[in-house]
């Protein structure tokens, strides 16, 4: 007998067939204590649906404030409001940013931590703390479904793209700190120009938002096949081009908004290139590299500061999705419901890792070892193949 899910077709374990033998897991939702992560994984409705699936959900008091939900809104849906230590002591802890060493030491041994990869926020000390306590850390944005898609990463990328243009429109229209202009033109007034580098999900989302506002859009990529798909999807409103240096440089000179997104072999824009751009140009880096595409510019984290600055000063905005944390919570709730359903049907993360290749792709730490090569390389540590441990476990 097989069970079909968004994360693959897998044999249904015996424990999942016998309802009386299925374990009921506790899910902990500690408040984010990382300054540049305002997003929260679950809305009250999302938490209530997990309770209906048989999970026990415990949330730290006040954790929903970042998305403007009260504790009462969660408790009405069956969520227990507890202390931070009790939320951290659950079987499965969901905290989008990497936890601190202090928090990790409050987790029970062998527990599961669901987070985002967040290479910018990971430290060697926190990873070692997870290894010491045999924490199974799964990076949600690396998890794949049975079609090879990354549902968590894709929905967050789409939010980033749309949020970037929403913020850009607001900054341009600001009559005090900005230029006091509309992103889109009107009769007799030329619209603003938006230059987008990359043609993935976040790039297409940004392009749709820009064209919807009336902006002229140019989109660049070094992957011609992906660029073709993007321009086919976007239609005639966006002009696509390969990354010809001269063409790109001219587009950057005239752009009012520049959005840099994830792509293979990404370019880096030096100080000379940036100096040729307009004063007051609005620049976003939507990648995980925290503004490294524009090394000469100071970064402004939208999770930490309001998006305003002196007129004419160039900077690079990062973490655009943090400007709309409640939208992110609603989108993540939808995806988490499917994911947690798979965990429940497999009777735990250990079995899910064995049965779902897509979930296995998200594993960062397992049985006291780093099993993600990217994290290991970033921190100067050594990684192991998770398949070896799953075979032995």
């Amino acid at each position: 007998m097989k069970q079909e899910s968004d994360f693959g077709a897998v044999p249904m374990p015996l424990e999942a067939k016998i309802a009386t033998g299925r374990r009921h897991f506790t899910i902990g939702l500690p408040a984010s204590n990382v300054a540049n992560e305002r997003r929260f994984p679950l809305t009250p409705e999302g938490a209530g649906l997990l309770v209906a699936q048989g999970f026990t959900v415990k949330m730290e008091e006040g954790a929903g404030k970042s998305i403007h939900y009260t504790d009462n809104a969660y408790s009405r849906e069956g969520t227990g409001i507890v202390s931070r230590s009790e939320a951290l002591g659950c079987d499965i802890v969901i905290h989008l940013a990497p936890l601190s060493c202090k928090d990790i030491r409050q987790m029970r041994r062998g527990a599961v931590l669901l987070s985002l990869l967040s290479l910018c926020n990971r430290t060697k000390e926190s990873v070692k703390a997870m290894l010491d306590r045999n924490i199974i850390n799964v990076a949600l944005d690396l998890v794949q479904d049975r079609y090879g898609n990354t549902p968590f990463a894709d929905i967050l990328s789409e939010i980033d793209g749309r949020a970037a243009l929403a913020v850009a429109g607001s900054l341009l229209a600001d009559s005090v700190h900005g230029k006091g202009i509309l992103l889109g033109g009107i009769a007799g007034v030329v619209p603003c120009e938006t230059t987008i580098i990359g043609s993935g999900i976040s790039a297409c989302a940004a392009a749709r938002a820009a064209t919807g506002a009336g902006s002229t859009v140019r989109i660049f990529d070094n992957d011609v096949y992906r660029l073709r798909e993007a321009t086919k999807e976007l239609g005639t409103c966006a002009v696509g081009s390969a990354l010809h240096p001269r063409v790109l440089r001219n587009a950057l000179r005239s752009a009012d908004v520049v959005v840099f997104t994830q792509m293979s072999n990404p370019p880096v824009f030096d100080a000379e290139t940036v100096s040729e751009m307009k004063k007051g140009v609005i620049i976003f880096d939507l990648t995980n590299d925290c503004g490294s595409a524009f090394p000469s510019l100071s970064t402004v984290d939208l999770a930490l500061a309001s998006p305003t600055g002196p007129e004419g000063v160039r900077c690079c905005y990062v973490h655009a999705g943090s400007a709309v944390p409640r939208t992110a919570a609603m989108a993540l709730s939808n995806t988490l419901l499917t994911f947690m359903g798979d965990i429940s049907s497999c009777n735990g993360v250990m079995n899910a890792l064995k049965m779902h290749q897509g979930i296995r792709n998200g594993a960062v730490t397992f049985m006291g070892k780093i099993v993600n090569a990217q994290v290991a390389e970033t921190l100067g540590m050594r990684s192991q193949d998770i398949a070896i441990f799953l075979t032995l476990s």
Side-chain angles (χ1 to χ4, degrees), residues 30-92:
S32 176
N33 62 354
V34 177
N36 64 354
E37 183 55 86
R38 291 197 315 215
R39 295 171 297 183
F40 195 66
L42 284 171
T43 62
E45 295 83 0
L49 288 170
L50 285 178
V51 172
Q53 287 185 15
F55 292 96
T56 298
V57 181
K58 299 181 180 182
M59 187 186 79
E60 180 185 355
E61 182 180 2
K65 286 182 180 178
S66 63
I67 55 172
H68 304 288
Y69 281 116
T70 64
D71 290 344
N72 285 337
Y74 283 91
S75 61
R76 284 196 298 268
E77 297 290 341
T79 299
I81 307 302
V82 299
S83 64
R84 185 173 186 83
S85 59
E86 190 171 347
L88 289 167
C90 291
D91 300 317
I92 301 171

Side-chain angles (χ1 to χ4, degrees), residues 54 106 161 167 346 388:
Q106 294 186 67
V167 172
C346 292
I388 299 172

Side-chain angles (χ1 to χ4, degrees), residues 138-303:
V138 176
L140 293 172
D141 44 339
L142 298 183
V143 170
Q144 295 180 348
D145 63 16
R146 59 194 172 109
Y147 303 107
N149 302 312
T150 50
F152 290 97
D154 291 351
I155 193 65
L156 291 176
S157 293
E158 185 173 1
I159 291 170
D160 284 346
R162 288 192 172 274
L165 265 295
V167 172
S170 175
L171 288 171
L172 288 171
D174 189 331
S175 61
V176 177
H177 301 289
K179 294 182 176 181
I181 60 175
L182 290 172
L183 184 61
I186 60 170
V189 178
V190 175
C192 289
E193 295 184 20
T194 300
T195 294
I196 300 172
I197 301 157
S199 57
I201 290 176
S202 58
C204 288
R208 281 191 293 270
T211 55
S215 174
T216 300
V217 176
R218 293 183 175 87
I219 185 166
F220 294 83
D221 203 336
N222 50 21
D223 185 333
V224 176
Y225 289 97
R226 192 167 77 158
L227 182 64
R228 181 184 291 122
E229 289 299 314
T231 52
K232 181 180 178 181
E233 177 188 338
L234 294 169
T236 57
C237 296
V239 178
S241 172
L243 274 176
H244 295 297
R246 184 176 297 177
V247 177
L248 176 59
R249 198 152 186 160
N250 287 337
L252 291 174
R253 285 194 188 106
S254 60
D256 298 283
V257 180
V258 175
V259 181
F260 185 82
T261 68
Q262 204 74 38
M263 60 186 298
S264 59
N265 301 316
V268 175
F269 301 99
D270 57 22
E272 181 183 352
T273 302
V274 170
S275 68
E276 296 175 353
M277 297 165 71
K278 285 182 177 179
K279 290 184 178 180
V281 60
I282 312 299
I283 302 172
F284 291 89
D285 186 342
L286 304 186
T287 70
N288 294 323
D289 294 329
C290 304
S292 61
F294 301 91
S296 65
L297 292 178
S298 60
T299 58
V300 176
D301 195 322
L302 291 174

